[in-house]
Amino acid sequence: MTPADLSLTVLRAVRRAVDDGALRVDVPSRAKVERARPGGVGEYASSIALSLARPAGRSALDVAGILEERLRDVPGLRAVEITGPGFLNFTLQRDVDADLVRGILAAGTSYGHGAALAGTVVRFAVVAEPRAVLVVETLVRLLRSQGADAEAGADGGERLHVYPGASGGHATDAIRWAFLRAAPHDRPLDPGPLLVPHERNPLFRVQYAYSRTRRLLVNARQLGFTPEPARLGEPGQPGQYVEPGQYVEPGQYGQPGQCVEPGRPGHLEHPDHASPLLRLLREHPLALLSAARHRAPDRVARQLEAVADALLAFQHTVLPLGDEKPSAAHRSRLALAEAAGTVLAGGLSVLGISAPDRI
């Protein structure tokens, strides 16, 4: 978690407190987060509670306590403490991203499967219409992935409202995506455009993103390195977050994924594209569970589109460029790309769609 991520996390806590009715304030546009001063507590600190105290009609300590309750279980934060008149102090978890990547690679395409619906029995009614058959078949897989006892073809079972669709007798990848990407009660997509290998084709983007991860692994082996999960965002790594004022060695400036502070070459103020991808991978189990509970396989398809787009934005940072030598940063990025590909393959499998190694 970078300072930019931490600032957004604090703002989300304020927004939740307002939504819950615990605070009556206008949510600010930004939350200032700074390095903790020497001798202070934690690594970063924010004075947002002090700035919100007067408009909230509460003491700064009260506001800080309300925000601390909504921050204490946030992934990536090891500790949140209140000091002085109401400062929030943060200590970060150092390897939470690496642990996520390791967990995905260990679970394989079963990442996101769980037992949240264990003990739930679901029996779907007999259906004959082609799209309804495909939707029910997919939902059975989804429900079983979450621990439910699910079966199709039961007399008097659960009936779904599914807008009909013609398959032409073939359950191709394009037909499956056309039927499942739209919500069951909505008109299915036109499968024609899904047969065209173009970036506007969401099915192509998802399958292409997966195939890119396989190619990245091959290319990396040819360059002599393999994936190795490690902390993403270490200061000083090309394409990663660097604290303002820290020096970046010549040659690191201008790498893909870096965002350079205007007018100050070599000082990076934002992380690369890893953060959106990590967030989506972390949310994937919840997306699968939500899709199962709400009988909504379209949620899985939308999740895969988001992961694919984030991966395609990130993948340019994985391999060394020019004379650059493979580093720990490249190994960790390769592991993240492999994890994203694993999630895409698992999601496509749930939908009954192929994950080709090459396109």
Side-chain angles (χ1 to χ4, degrees):
M1 180 179 290
T2 68
D5 296 328
L6 183 54
S7 176
L8 291 174
T9 298
V10 173
L11 281 180
R12 291 190 194 105
V14 175
R15 189 169 292 110
R16 285 197 298 272
V18 171
D19 291 343
D20 296 343
L23 287 178
R24 294 185 177 181
V25 294
D26 292 330
V27 179
S29 59
R30 61 187 295 269
K32 188 176 182 181
V33 173
E34 299 178 306
R35 276 282 188 185
R37 295 180 181 178
V41 176
E43 301 169 76
Y44 294 93
S46 175
S47 60
I48 191 166
L50 281 74
S51 63
L52 293 178
R54 178 174 292 180
R58 310 282 291 269
S59 72
L61 283 173
D62 286 344
V63 175
I66 290 169
L67 297 180
E68 187 273 338
E69 290 177 2
R70 289 157 177 79
L71 288 164
R72 62 178 62 151
D73 295 324
V74 170
L77 289 180
R78 192 173 72 193
V80 182
E81 300 173 75
I82 301 171
T83 59
F87 290 103
L88 288 166
N89 297 265
F90 307 97
T91 303
L92 305 184
Q93 291 178 353
R94 288 301 177 188
D95 55 359
V96 63
D97 294 339
D99 286 345
L100 172 66
V101 172
R102 289 189 194 98
I104 293 172
L105 296 179
T109 54
S110 295
Y111 172 69
H113 296 197
L117 299 183
T120 302
V121 177
V122 180
R123 297 291 181 264
F124 290 107
V126 177
V127 292
E129 192 278 323
R131 188 185 181 203
V133 170
L134 186 56
V135 168
V136 168
E137 166 198 308
T138 303
L139 286 173
V140 167
R141 278 196 298 271
L142 259 174
L143 287 159
R144 288 176 177 173
S145 78
Q146 303 305 309
D149 175 4
E151 297 287 349
D155 291 333
E158 179 180 334
R159 290 192 173 276
L160 302 173
H161 172 52
V162 179
Y163 195 109
S167 67
H170 302 286
T172 63
D173 286 349
I175 289 292
R176 284 182 173 272
W177 189 272
F179 281 5
L180 298 173
R181 174 57 178 83
H185 57 271
D186 289 337
R187 182 191 298 272
L189 303 182
D190 178 2
L194 298 174
L195 297 170
V196 180
H198 193 278
E199 63 182 9
R200 289 195 297 270
N201 176 352
L203 172 59
F204 173 76
R205 289 203 312 274
V206 172
Q207 291 181 317
Y208 175 73
Y210 170 76
S211 71
R212 279 298 299 148
T213 67
R214 309 311 298 170
R215 196 65 206 165
L216 287 171
L217 289 166
V218 171
N219 292 341
R221 283 196 296 271
Q222 293 171 344
L223 293 172
F225 73 102
T226 55
E228 183 179 323
R231 184 189 173 204
L232 289 151
E234 290 286 0
Q237 293 179 356
Q240 304 292 343
Y241 179 82
V242 175
E243 290 290 344
Q246 289 189 358
Y247 179 68
V248 179
E249 291 294 334
Q252 294 182 338
Y253 170 69
Q255 297 291 341
Q258 291 184 343
C259 183
V260 180
E261 185 175 343
R264 298 182 64 184
H267 295 285
L268 312 183
E269 61 176 1
H270 294 297
D272 61 8
H273 295 290
S275 292
L277 182 56
L278 285 162
R279 175 180 56 80
L280 288 164
L281 298 186
R282 192 171 284 114
E283 293 172 351
H284 186 69
L286 291 177
L288 293 180
L289 178 58
S290 174
R293 281 179 167 158
H294 294 279
R295 313 295 193 259
D298 55 295
R299 297 189 182 196
V300 178
R302 291 200 302 271
Q303 170 74 3
L304 296 182
E305 285 181 25
V307 171
D309 290 342
L311 173 59
L312 291 173
F314 169 78
Q315 53 109 9
H316 300 288
T317 72
V318 173
L319 298 177
L321 297 177
D323 295 332
E324 189 179 8
K325 301 296 183 183
S327 66
H330 295 110
R331 290 192 291 273
S332 65
R333 293 178 207 149
L334 181 62
L336 175 55
E338 184 181 16
T342 300
V343 167
L344 291 175
L348 287 170
S349 176
V350 166
L351 299 179
I353 294 173
S354 65
D357 284 357
R358 300 193 69 173
I359 291 185

